[in-house]
Amino acid sequence: MPLSTAERLFAAEGIAASLRIDGRDPLDARTVELETGVILQASGSCRARVHRGSQVLVGAKVAIETLDGASLGAGTSTGLGAALGQGGGRIVCQVVCDPSVAATGGGRCGAGSGRPVDDLTGECGQRLSELLNSAASGIDLASLVVIPHRVGWTVYVDVLVLDLGGNLFDVVLLATKGALCNLRMPRATVLSVDGKQDYDISSHETERLRGAEAIPLAVTCYRVGRRFVIDPTLEEEDCSDLSLAIAVNAAGQVCYMSKSGNGASHGSLIKTMMAFATRRVPELLRVADHCILQQGTRTRAIQGFKV
Amino acid sequence: MRREIVSPEGFRQDGRRPEELRRSHFRTSLFQQVDGSAYVEQGNTQCLVTVSGPREPQMRSKSLPDRAVVTVEYAVAPFSAGERKGPLRTNRAHTEVAASLQATFEAAIMTTLFPRSEIMICVQMVQLDGSALATAINAVSLAIIDAGIPVTDYVTACSAGYIGSDPVLDLNYLEESAGMPQLTLALLPRTRKIVTMAMEQKLHLDHLEPTAEMCEEGCLQMYQQMNAYIASASKLATLITPSA
């Protein structure tokens, strides 16, 4: 159900008076619950659940991929071309919705115009893919290369949106970080046979994805009226006409930025948002990293979903 | 080397006896935006179900004047199986599962109480390790009860295979892929009426009866577990929110 004009006004004027629908401060976030290693079939997995908000499940799988002449020709559009630029390895991201979200979430989410859910998940996947495949992600993409320009690992990051409660990208990135920190891939060793390079995949030795701990986290700032809020509910997201996703690493450096929504803004607001994000994210990272590392690898009893 | 499904000592590869179910976990009321939801884990097969309704049909043309329409969406997560599969727009196998779930629950839900309305069931398989249809049926059954939709009875399901000269209960992925005939049975446990019976390979008629009997036994065991869970969950709910 899209919001009515009166409901929208109620939410917007509340925010103008620093009073949000659920009683939070404009710059307060909801609590998140993280659980890693929930899916045994995946190489790495993580579930993130925001209190009264979105819930996502991320499964990462690795596959070894050979870049030969045929796939090179066809690969430019599917990202294999990009993989070649990096020497072989790549990360493929996809965000899909649970059918119930696809059926009920339509027409009532996203910056101002009631965007369809497909649009929202598509944008989210695109952002994730751009961020993770860039040098700023902190992931050692070169470590995914087995034989340069020929064989490399592809990490498939599949995000399943189980519940939609606003602020999707931040949650997705957090859960993706959890899944990639949890990721264990088989060790590949390069052998030289008669001057030709070949590889062997170990059946019992595994290694971590190098640099996964350095993945930045994002804060998306949503403009409502003259102010901005973070971690909006679905209703507040609907009132916002402009949002800016800012990913920042532990050193406080901005790694990625993406604006959405049909509004336009002066640079001063953008600067305020950036200053806020660079202050906030390192703090967030400390807590998140502690939580992710403490869970270790599949040591926790896997009970799936806790209520 | 082909491993045997049941060892001479009478154990299966995962350590179960032939007539033993895998361990299962249940959870209900997981989401806020839907009327009912359930999560069922049978061994490593995990399934998440949400139910919304009875409500006004999203497509008016689909409504029926005398009863509610049950629609089922079935999806499998890309990371659910051993090999990654990208999401497909239309998958015939999935459509078939959805149709069979729809038929099963149209038999159990008292649809005539809600004319011109729709009950929507969304099934998401999170992880696959054999007996997917049976797990999905059990999960939908719990989600419908969680949504408070009137049903004649629980619907409980179980699968069984037949190997050598004996049936085995609740197949996992390894046993399923050994190519033995697999029977999935869904039961209304109190009346012992069968609502769904699915079998895709051939099996001698003489062997069908012991296999079906074992399935029925499995369904009844499942019923006890599910009923015990619902009883404890509803007790918990009344403790938390006393009727004011």
Side-chain angles (χ1 to χ4, degrees):
Chain A
M1 288 283 282
L3 286 187
S4 69
T5 319
E7 283 173 308
R8 209 171 281 204
L9 201 68
F10 179 76
E13 288 193 343
I15 288 168
S18 291
L19 210 67
R20 288 168 76 172
I21 300 172
D22 51 7
R24 279 182 291 150
D25 226 42
L27 301 181
D28 262 356
R30 294 167 283 190
T31 49
V32 188
E33 189 185 293
L34 274 183
E35 193 175 1
T36 57
V38 283
I39 298 158
L40 293 171
Q41 303 265 32
S43 319
S45 58
C46 181
R47 184 181 68 96
R49 179 171 157 235
V50 181
H51 181 63
R52 291 173 187 276
S54 304
Q55 184 169 167
V56 300
L57 182 63
V58 178
K61 267 182 186 293
V62 291
I64 203 146
E65 215 160 74
T66 310
L67 308 167
D68 51 24
S71 65
L72 275 184
T76 37
S77 57
T78 56
L80 269 174
L84 192 73
Q86 293 155 2
R90 63 180 177 141
I91 299 172
V92 179
C93 306
Q94 192 163 43
V95 182
V96 289
C97 271
D98 180 80
S100 72
V101 174
T104 57
R108 59 161 188 184
C109 52
S113 50
R115 300 161 73 195
V117 179
D118 279 353
D119 216 34
L120 199 71
T121 54
E123 180 190 76
C124 198
Q126 179 80 29
R127 284 175 170 179
L128 199 61
S129 175
E130 279 171 12
L131 171 60
L132 294 183
N133 282 299
S134 74
S137 71
I139 300 172
D140 185 5
L141 289 168
S143 73
L144 294 174
V145 179
V146 179
I147 302 171
H149 304 290
R150 263 190 55 213
V151 182
W153 289 106
T154 301
V155 181
Y156 289 99
V157 175
D158 285 296
V159 182
L160 184 62
V161 181
L162 299 173
D163 206 354
L164 203 57
N167 202 27
L168 188 63
F169 180 64
D170 297 5
V171 188
V172 166
L173 185 58
L174 177 63
T176 304
K177 178 168 184 167
L180 291 179
C181 285
N182 179 245
L183 185 78
R184 294 293 178 275
M185 45 203 261
R187 188 186 295 276
T189 38
V190 181
L191 318 160
S192 221
V193 187
D194 308 331
K196 260 190 81 182
Q197 281 191 315
D198 207 351
Y199 64 91
D200 178 57
I201 296 172
S202 168
S203 56
H204 55 278
E205 272 183 294
T206 59
E207 54 189 10
R208 286 161 178 264
L209 177 64
R210 261 184 257 161
E213 314 80 44
I215 296 176
L217 287 183
V219 165
T220 308
C221 303
Y222 291 78
R223 183 178 76 177
V224 180
R226 289 174 163 193
R227 311 184 60 154
F228 69 89
V229 295
I230 61 160
D231 196 16
T233 60
L234 216 49
E235 291 80 19
E236 288 168 332
E237 207 169 290
D238 201 47
C239 300
S240 155
D241 64 337
L242 177 144
S243 70
L244 187 69
I246 307 164
V248 179
N249 64 14
Q253 294 163 316
V254 175
C255 303
Y256 181 77
M257 261 203 323
S258 171
K259 174 207 168 267
S260 78
N262 44 22
S265 162
H266 273 296
S268 59
L269 181 70
I270 306 282
K271 272 187 198 146
T272 326
M273 286 175 173
M274 279 169 72
F276 172 75
T278 46
R279 244 190 359 260
R280 180 173 175 90
V281 176
E283 227 174 274
L284 193 66
L285 271 164
R286 255 197 306 281
V287 182
D289 286 350
H290 179 72
C291 177
I292 290 167
L293 293 177
Q294 212 182 30
Q295 298 210 352
T297 65
R298 303 211 182 133
T299 46
R300 242 176 89 123
I302 291 131
Q303 295 290 315
F305 296 78
K306 289 202 193 66
V307 182
Chain B
M1 185 190 76
R2 216 194 122 192
R3 293 225 201 125
E4 51 205 348
I5 299 294
V6 183
S7 73
E9 293 81 28
F11 288 105
R12 288 150 76 174
Q13 281 169 38
D14 54 5
R16 283 183 292 158
R17 294 276 184 189
E19 68 284 356
E20 205 175 324
L21 286 172
R22 289 177 289 181
R23 192 211 291 251
S24 38
H25 289 286
F26 311 105
R27 297 271 186 283
T28 49
S29 303
L30 298 146
F31 301 114
Q32 306 202 320
Q33 295 188 5
V34 287
D35 297 308
S37 53
Y39 166 74
V40 170
E41 205 175 294
Q42 273 179 248
N44 278 330
T45 303
Q46 303 176 345
C47 176
L48 196 60
V49 174
T50 53
V51 171
S52 0
R55 61 169 187 207
E56 197 178 332
Q58 287 186 323
M59 277 175 15
R60 275 285 172 80
S61 56
K62 277 208 310 198
S63 71
L64 294 174
D66 58 335
R67 61 189 172 93
V69 184
V70 178
T71 49
V72 179
E73 297 264 356
Y74 180 82
V76 176
F79 45 74
S80 60
E83 207 166 295
R84 180 188 178 270
K85 283 201 181 76
L88 298 166
R89 279 275 161 234
T90 49
N91 183 327
R92 233 191 92 219
H94 293 183
T95 320
E96 258 173 45
V97 175
S100 126
L101 284 171
Q102 184 189 350
T104 307
F105 285 93
E106 272 182 342
I109 296 172
M110 298 179 173
T111 49
T112 46
L113 292 178
F114 310 103
R116 293 180 297 282
S117 50
E118 178 190 34
I119 294 167
M120 183 161 187
I121 300 169
C122 297
V123 182
Q124 175 82 53
M125 297 307 298
V126 177
Q127 191 160 250
L128 295 173
D129 186 23
S131 307
L133 177 61
T135 311
I137 291 175
N138 292 334
V140 173
S141 190
L142 287 183
I144 283 177
I145 291 167
D146 184 46
I149 294 170
V151 282
T152 47
D153 195 0
Y154 285 79
V155 185
T156 62
C158 192
S159 75
Y162 195 90
I163 189 94
S165 57
D166 288 301
V168 282
L169 194 65
D170 195 12
L171 306 186
N172 64 21
Y173 174 75
L174 270 175
E175 292 164 343
E176 247 180 24
S177 52
M180 68 169 106
Q182 184 186 12
L183 176 74
T184 301
L185 204 73
L187 206 66
L188 299 176
R190 278 190 302 188
T191 50
R192 292 207 177 197
K193 276 184 185 159
I194 292 170
V195 279
T196 302
M197 196 166 177
M199 168 111 120
E200 277 174 9
Q201 294 94 333
K202 57 183 174 186
L203 175 70
H204 195 278
L205 196 59
D206 293 350
H207 300 154
L208 182 65
E209 208 178 309
T211 314
E213 250 169 41
M214 185 177 259
C215 255
E216 227 177 288
E217 207 48 55
C219 290
L220 293 176
Q221 276 184 45
M222 215 58 220
Y223 165 65
Q224 278 170 357
Q225 292 183 26
M226 284 159 68
N227 196 24
Y229 171 77
I230 287 291
S232 68
S234 48
K235 208 162 148 195
L236 210 66
T238 47
L239 275 178
I240 294 166
T241 51
S243 50

